[in-house]
Amino acid sequence: MRLLASFFCAFFLLTASAAPEVQAAQNKRPAAVKKVNTTKTAKAPAKKAASAKKASKGKKNVAAARKTTKKVSSSASRKFASSKHYAKKKKTYARRHVRGPSYAQLMGLRGSSDPLALSTTAVLAYDMENDQILYEKNADTSLPIASITKLMTALVIVESGVDLDQKFAVTTEDFVKSSARSKLRKGMVLSRKQALHLALMSSDNRAAHFLARTFPGGKAKFISEMNAKAVLLAMDDSVFYDSIGLNNGNKCSALDLSHLIAAAAEHDVIRDLSTTPEASFSVGKRYVVSRTTNSFVANDNWDIELQKTGLTTAAGYCMVMQTNISGRPVAMIFLDAPNKAARNHDIQKLHDWLTNGKMLETASLN
């Protein structure tokens, strides 16, 4: 019995001494947890690699998507460029304006022969002092005269006795349909003399219309006065329908125009305004600067007393002048030249011929 009690007592003591060791073992459990965490940490690089791989794949997909989008966009751009709603910007180059046939050309007159082989259809050189024809080519044929008309406009204005200093405002009615540019704008206030200057020097169409519109009695009365003046000057093959020359019905022969030049040259104001190389004057709050359309005016080899140029498709390139050759006044008329260069070449050629021979010959006869 005592032996059994001793056994239980010893067992109890062993159990009590083993309790701290169990407790210590339990306190070491975090090491096991740490092991588990270590396992998870070991798996993290694999997860990171997988994430990096996925990110890389995502970048490739984005790049591919961008490439596809760019391709589609490029394709769409080409498709849009080929559509009728898109006009590709092209380089533009100045093109020479090709005019239709002139009135004289339709009549079969252009190309007519003459001693100097001039390309201008109708030509006349007239000695105004001796009342003598020095050179002529189709001079009695009535042809459109374009802005040579403005010479008759100037003559009617000056001889009518209207106040040249009287001022009027430019209106939209003066904006005649024309490819030629004008210095005049709506609302500008200018005098008749200023308008006359622009009409004769730079062949301003609005200025010529301004003169007829502001004439006492209006445009209809002014055109009537133009035709009446033509009758008084024995311009039998002439007729006028406007004050500008845009109406192709305005026609004269070169012989008729020699009478007009003689009458216009009697007025200092017409001679001075038509032969000004360049002028500037104030029109209201603005300054208008204008230049002559005749390159011979500034040429020192020429002594020009009066001039006027003209150009329309029907009339071709035209010019009339009164110039002094060998000390005598000569009217020179050129109607329907094929181009400006040909017209100027013919004018110089006839001038040289008169200077070197014909004028000396006629002077000796007189």
Side-chain angles (χ1 to χ4, degrees):
M1 190 69 177
R2 288 181 179 177
L3 184 61
L4 184 61
S6 298
F7 175 78
F8 278 112
C9 185
F11 178 77
F12 177 76
L13 290 173
L14 287 172
T15 305
S17 62
E21 293 181 5
V22 173
Q23 185 66 33
Q26 288 179 349
N27 292 337
K28 291 182 180 180
R29 285 180 66 86
V33 174
K34 187 175 181 181
K35 186 176 181 182
V36 173
N37 289 342
T38 302
T39 305
K40 288 183 178 180
T41 305
K43 290 181 179 179
K47 187 175 181 181
K48 187 175 181 181
S51 178
K53 185 176 182 182
K54 187 176 181 180
S56 177
K57 187 176 181 181
K59 288 182 180 179
K60 288 182 180 179
N61 290 338
V62 172
R66 287 179 179 172
K67 189 174 182 180
T68 304
T69 303
K70 187 176 181 181
K71 186 176 182 181
V72 171
S73 177
S74 177
S75 176
S77 297
R78 287 196 297 270
K79 185 177 180 181
F80 180 72
S82 63
S83 70
K84 65 180 180 179
H85 302 291
Y86 175 81
K88 189 176 180 181
K89 206 169 185 180
K90 296 180 179 179
K91 289 183 178 180
T92 56
Y93 301 93
R95 293 183 180 180
R96 186 175 180 180
H97 180 66
V98 179
R99 295 184 175 274
S102 67
Y103 185 84
Q105 195 171 359
L106 293 173
M107 291 175 64
L109 292 174
R110 185 174 285 184
S112 302
S113 61
D114 64 285
L116 292 180
L118 304 178
S119 58
T120 304
T121 300
V123 180
L124 177 67
Y126 188 81
D127 185 341
M128 301 175 72
E129 187 177 277
N130 297 311
D131 194 22
Q132 182 181 10
I133 294 176
L134 304 174
Y135 192 91
E136 70 93 16
K137 175 184 179 182
N138 296 320
D140 57 351
T141 304
S142 183
L143 296 172
I145 59 171
S147 286
I148 306 299
T149 298
K150 295 181 178 76
L151 201 56
M152 177 60 85
T153 299
L155 185 62
V156 171
I157 287 290
V158 172
E159 293 191 346
S160 68
V162 296
D163 184 3
L164 296 182
D165 294 323
Q166 189 175 3
K167 295 184 177 182
F168 301 90
V170 176
T171 68
T172 52
E173 189 180 349
D174 300 320
F175 289 18
V176 292
K177 188 177 180 180
S178 170
S179 59
R181 295 183 178 180
S182 173
K183 298 288 186 178
L184 300 183
R185 300 291 181 268
K186 180 182 176 181
M188 283 185 173
V189 178
L190 68 158
S191 66
R192 284 196 179 99
K193 187 175 182 179
Q194 289 174 327
L196 193 62
H197 201 166
L198 289 170
L200 290 173
M201 177 180 61
S202 57
S203 203
D204 193 300
N205 291 330
R206 292 178 184 177
H209 186 276
F210 172 96
L211 291 168
R213 178 179 61 82
T214 58
F215 189 77
K219 289 190 296 182
K221 176 64 175 176
F222 189 81
I223 304 306
S224 176
E225 290 293 324
M226 292 175 73
N227 285 293
K229 187 69 65 178
V231 172
L232 287 175
L233 295 176
M235 297 172 65
D236 300 329
D237 297 315
S238 300
V239 63
F240 297 93
Y241 292 95
D242 73 5
S243 62
I244 305 166
L246 294 176
N247 191 314
N248 293 326
N250 292 8
K251 295 178 183 177
C252 293
S253 66
L255 284 169
D256 281 355
L257 288 174
S258 67
H259 302 320
L260 176 59
I261 291 171
E266 293 179 2
H267 301 280
D268 293 342
V269 64
I270 297 179
R271 293 201 309 271
D272 293 342
L273 297 184
S274 71
T275 56
T276 306
E278 181 179 319
S280 63
F281 41 85
S282 60
V283 178
K285 296 180 179 180
R286 299 186 183 183
Y287 264 91
V288 172
V289 179
S290 196
R291 297 173 180 81
T292 183
T293 55
N294 188 339
S295 59
F296 291 101
V297 169
N299 192 324
D300 294 335
N301 296 323
W302 285 75
D303 181 13
I304 298 175
E305 294 286 339
L306 178 145
Q307 70 80 36
K308 187 69 197 76
T309 61
L311 169 64
T312 62
T313 297
Y317 287 77
C318 308
M319 187 183 291
V320 299
M321 291 188 292
Q322 177 182 308
T323 183
N324 292 315
I325 301 178
S326 298
R328 284 148 58 187
V330 176
M332 300 179 71
I333 296 100
F334 295 81
L335 301 179
D336 186 51
N339 53 66
K340 185 176 181 180
R343 182 194 66 187
N344 291 352
H345 178 268
D346 287 352
I347 292 171
Q348 188 64 57
K349 190 174 185 179
L350 182 58
H351 179 271
D352 293 344
W353 181 78
L354 292 171
T355 303
N356 297 329
K358 188 63 177 177
M359 291 303 293
L360 295 176
E361 178 185 327
T362 55
S364 63
L365 292 176
N366 295 319

